[in-house]
């Protein structure tokens, strides 16, 4: 049983002009593919080789660092592709909207916190919207860590995440990470984020 690189449900050019086709293609076929292949190699012969990725994340502190890095890379990109869409609900709705209002006061305040987490994460990493019981929390992680990991400073179930590694935006945005984060806002698949939220 090997981990597989998922197919995207949209074309590489579908997210233009916000994310360009070349970035998408390299990100999927090179970066995500490498994390997937390296994860398969890293779990071989270990006692987690038949575990689900979520189960592996939960005990990652006890495993080789290659599983932490590549397992995180595998999981995080699976989520990233799914919470992006060229079209769909353009704002949170339903019980997710209620939870955002309860936890942050307003969608604008949530957005401000999320953008700040994404822009201020030093170096490579991710910013997250996390469910912790009935509360929503914004956090960020370094490298390919994520909130499912037992090593994460803030743990919970990620329902939205943005990749702020330079490989996610550099071809189009160069050093302008804030512009990429703002553009990302136009691409969020709020139906998928709502699906991941357990209200
Ligand atoms: Mn990436």
């Amino acid at each position: 049983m090997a981990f597989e690189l998922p197919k995207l449900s949209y074309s590489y050019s579908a997210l233009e002009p916000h994310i360009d086709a070349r970035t998408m293609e390299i990100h999927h076929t090179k970066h995500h593919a490498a994390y997937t292949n390296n994860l398969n190699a890293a779990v071989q012969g270990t006692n987690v080789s038949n575990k689900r990725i979520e189960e592996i994340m939960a005990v990652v502190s006890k495993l080789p660092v290659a599983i932490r890095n590549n397992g995180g890379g595998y999981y995080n990109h699976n989520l990233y592709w799914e919470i992006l869409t060229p079209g769909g609900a353009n704002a949170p709705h339903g019980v997710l909207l209620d939870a955002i209002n309860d936890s942050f006061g307003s969608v604008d305040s949530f957005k401000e916190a999320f953008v700040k987490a994404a822009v201020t994460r030093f170096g490579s990493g991710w910013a997250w919207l996390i469910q912790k019981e009935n509360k929503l929390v914004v956090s960020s992680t370094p490298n390919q860590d994520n909130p499912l990991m037992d090593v994460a400073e803030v743990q919970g179930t990620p329902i939205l995440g943005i990749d702020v590694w330079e490989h996610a935006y550099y071809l189009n945005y160069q050093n302008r990470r804030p512009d990429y984060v703002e553009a990302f806002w136009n691409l969020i698949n709020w139906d998928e984020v709502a699906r991941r939220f357990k209200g």
Side-chain angles (χ1 to χ4, degrees), residues 27 31 35 77 126 144 163 165 167-168:
H27 204 171
H31 293 277
Y35 293 126
H77 290 87
W126 292 71
Q144 293 295 353
D163 187 347
W165 284 57
H167 68 227

Side-chain angles (χ1 to χ4, degrees), residues 132-198:
K132 283 177 84 76
E133 288 153 12
N134 289 325
K135 273 286 185 192
L136 294 174
V137 181
V138 163
S139 76
S140 71
T141 51
N143 306 315
Q144 293 295 353
D145 285 359
N146 66 50
L148 293 177
M149 291 182 176
D150 59 354
V151 294
E153 200 177 318
V154 184
Q155 292 175 36
T157 305
I159 64 170
L160 173 67
I162 181 170
D163 187 347
V164 295
W165 284 57
E166 285 184 344
H167 68 227
Y169 61 88
Y170 205 85
L171 291 181
N172 195 32
Y173 294 97
Q174 293 82 49
N175 62 326
R176 303 188 310 278
R177 186 192 291 182
D179 291 354
Y180 157 69
V181 175
E182 191 61 37
F184 171 89
W185 210 261
N186 297 303
L187 300 172
I188 297 173
N189 185 345
W190 286 110
D191 294 328
E192 175 60 20
V193 181
R195 191 188 67 75
R196 288 167 179 266
F197 176 69
K198 305 290 179 248

Side-chain angles (χ1 to χ4, degrees), residues 65-150:
V65 70
I67 298 181
R68 174 176 175 173
N69 290 338
N70 293 292
Y74 172 75
Y75 175 90
N76 295 348
H77 290 87
N78 284 353
L79 179 142
Y80 182 74
W81 309 129
E82 288 182 10
I83 57 84
L84 293 174
T85 182
N90 59 10
H93 49 80
V95 291
L96 174 62
L97 175 60
D98 294 341
I100 287 174
N101 285 331
D102 282 350
S103 297
F104 300 99
S106 68
V107 174
D108 284 348
S109 298
F110 154 60
K111 181 182 175 186
E112 197 180 319
F114 185 84
V115 167
K116 186 179 176 196
V119 168
T120 60
R121 165 49 56 188
F122 184 77
S124 297
W126 292 71
W128 305 99
L129 176 63
I130 300 166
Q131 179 168 9
K132 283 177 84 76
E133 288 153 12
N134 289 325
K135 273 286 185 192
L136 294 174
V137 181
V138 163
S139 76
S140 71
T141 51
N143 306 315
Q144 293 295 353
D145 285 359
N146 66 50
L148 293 177
M149 291 182 176
D150 59 354

